[in-house]
Amino acid sequence: MADITRRLGWRHLRSTPTAHIRHHRGGKLVHDGPGLGFWFRPLTAALSEVPVEDRELAMTFRARTADFQDVSVQATVTYRIGDPALAAARLDFSVDPDTGAWRGAPLEQLGTLLTETAQQHALEVLARTPLSTALVDGVAAVRDRIAAGLGAEPRLPATGIEVVAVRVMAVRPEAEVERALRTPARELIQQEADRATYERRAVAVERERAIAENELASRIELARREERLVEQRGANARREAEESAAADRVRAQAEAARTVKLAEAEAARSVALARAEAEAAREVGEARAEAQAAWLRVHGDVDVATLHALTGTRLAENLPHIDSVTVSPDVLTGLLARLGGGVRG
């Protein structure tokens, strides 16, 4: 859209570098080119503004495949107006001298022309293609056919239009058909996922089994080692008991031998002592007997009075030593009585 300002009955137009301006005055071309700026009188001026930049035209249309399945096609056509003079002559690009807006809708006309042409060629190629092939190879086939059809369309060069590029984003079936087509793939993916899950579980179970077997083997080995340890401890205890019993037996035998030796020595000492005592007693007895016999032989010829005197002497020698004698009146009375009685008798 051109920028137009007013000044005392005059108008000043200022365009952009991507807009081609054509100015006619009195049927003559006065200004022609992109990015122009000039003054003009609105009553005598005929202005056209033709955009020359690349423009994107997005289109979506429906088609039917060879197996009577409806599909939708999403495409984009990039075009430009290569001959602004020819385009301005074939389409209405005139602008209002007061506002700078287009009087008609030239870009909509171009869009309709491009869309219908592209749709015609896309329908032709899809009508001979089954749905499965269209979904797999349809994008490239439709793009090539649209590009070739637009390049061969005579109305586009006659209108000054150049097609820069054609892009087809998608060829899609209806929602029900798409869900039906997705189901086998989803089932296959689900089966793969289930198989992966089962394999993962099987691997986990196998690992758990291996771990359990390892633990069981470890327990068995531990029990076997404990059994060996118990056996070894029993053998050690038995050997220790045997050695202790043997040591006790040796000690008992040694103690018994020592006791026997001590008893024999004691018995020998007792026998010797008894013998010595018996011999001494015999010798003492013999000495006493000899002394007694000698005493008797000595006193055999002594009279009785002399024997009495000796006996008293011996008795006095054997009496205990008496330092003093206390005679009580009662004892003295008794002794006197006995003496008196003896005299009387």
Side-chain angles (χ1 to χ4, degrees):
M1 179 177 177
D3 183 14
I4 296 178
T5 57
R6 300 180 182 183
R7 291 291 187 276
L8 300 174
W10 288 82
R11 303 288 186 271
H12 183 271
L13 183 146
R14 184 175 58 190
S15 65
T16 61
T18 58
H20 189 97
I21 302 299
R22 292 175 63 83
H23 176 208
H24 290 81
R25 184 175 61 227
K28 295 181 179 181
L29 183 62
V30 180
H31 297 94
D32 185 19
L36 298 179
F38 53 87
W39 292 92
F40 65 93
R41 289 183 177 274
L43 297 179
T44 60
L47 303 175
S48 298
E49 183 183 11
V50 181
V52 294
E53 76 273 18
D54 291 349
R55 304 185 71 87
E56 302 283 344
L57 176 63
M59 58 186 70
T60 301
F61 52 88
R62 300 179 67 83
R64 179 167 292 183
T65 62
D67 47 2
F68 305 102
Q69 298 295 326
D70 292 334
V71 295
S72 60
V73 180
Q74 295 178 357
T76 301
V77 175
T78 303
Y79 70 96
R80 73 167 67 97
I81 298 177
D83 190 347
L86 184 58
R90 299 296 300 271
L91 298 174
D92 186 10
F93 282 97
S94 63
V95 298
D96 191 301
D98 292 326
T99 62
W102 279 316
R103 297 179 183 272
L107 296 182
E108 292 183 3
Q109 295 177 359
L110 285 178
T112 301
L113 175 62
L114 292 172
T115 301
E116 290 180 352
T117 304
Q119 183 175 358
Q120 176 183 356
H121 295 288
L123 292 177
E124 290 179 358
V125 68
L126 289 175
R128 298 191 299 269
T129 305
L131 177 62
S132 58
T133 305
L135 295 179
V136 176
D137 301 325
V139 172
V142 171
R143 182 188 63 242
D144 295 340
R145 183 56 183 271
I146 291 177
L150 292 177
E153 178 63 34
R155 290 183 299 173
L156 298 181
T159 315
I161 299 174
E162 298 177 359
V163 176
V164 178
V166 176
R167 300 188 302 277
V168 176
M169 280 70 72
V171 177
R172 293 183 130 181
E174 292 183 345
E176 295 82 2
V177 176
E178 187 173 5
R179 284 194 296 269
L181 294 175
R182 287 179 178 178
T183 300
R186 288 183 177 180
E187 290 295 332
L188 182 60
I189 294 173
Q190 186 63 39
Q191 290 176 6
E192 292 293 334
D194 293 340
R195 182 164 52 253
T197 301
Y198 296 151
E199 291 178 355
R200 184 172 62 253
R201 290 179 180 176
V203 171
V205 171
E206 182 65 22
R207 290 180 179 176
E208 291 179 357
R209 184 185 64 79
I211 293 173
E213 289 181 354
N214 291 334
E215 291 180 352
L216 181 60
S218 299
R219 291 179 181 177
I220 293 174
E221 182 64 23
L222 181 60
R224 186 179 296 111
R225 292 184 179 180
E226 289 179 353
E227 182 180 0
R228 293 177 182 174
L229 179 60
V230 170
E231 291 178 356
Q232 186 64 36
R233 287 179 177 175
N236 293 339
R238 185 167 56 254
R239 187 179 302 110
E240 184 178 358
E242 292 175 354
E243 292 178 356
S244 178
D248 292 341
R249 186 165 54 253
V250 171
R251 285 194 297 270
Q253 291 176 357
E255 185 68 23
R258 189 174 63 84
T259 303
V260 169
K261 289 180 180 180
L262 291 176
E264 290 177 352
E266 185 67 26
R269 283 198 304 270
S270 298
V271 170
L273 182 60
R275 288 177 181 177
E277 289 180 353
E279 185 66 26
R282 185 179 60 77
E283 292 178 356
V284 170
E286 289 178 355
R288 287 180 180 177
E290 291 178 358
Q292 187 67 26
W295 187 81
L296 289 176
R297 285 195 302 270
V298 171
H299 294 83
D301 298 334
V302 181
D303 57 359
V304 177
T306 301
L307 291 175
H308 285 171
L310 291 173
T311 300
T313 302
R314 296 291 300 274
L315 179 61
E317 290 177 357
N318 292 322
L319 288 175
H321 179 71
I322 301 174
D323 291 332
S324 62
V325 177
T326 301
V327 180
S328 63
D330 293 336
V331 174
L332 184 57
T333 302
L335 290 175
L336 291 178
R338 289 179 181 179
L339 290 175
V343 174
R344 285 192 298 272

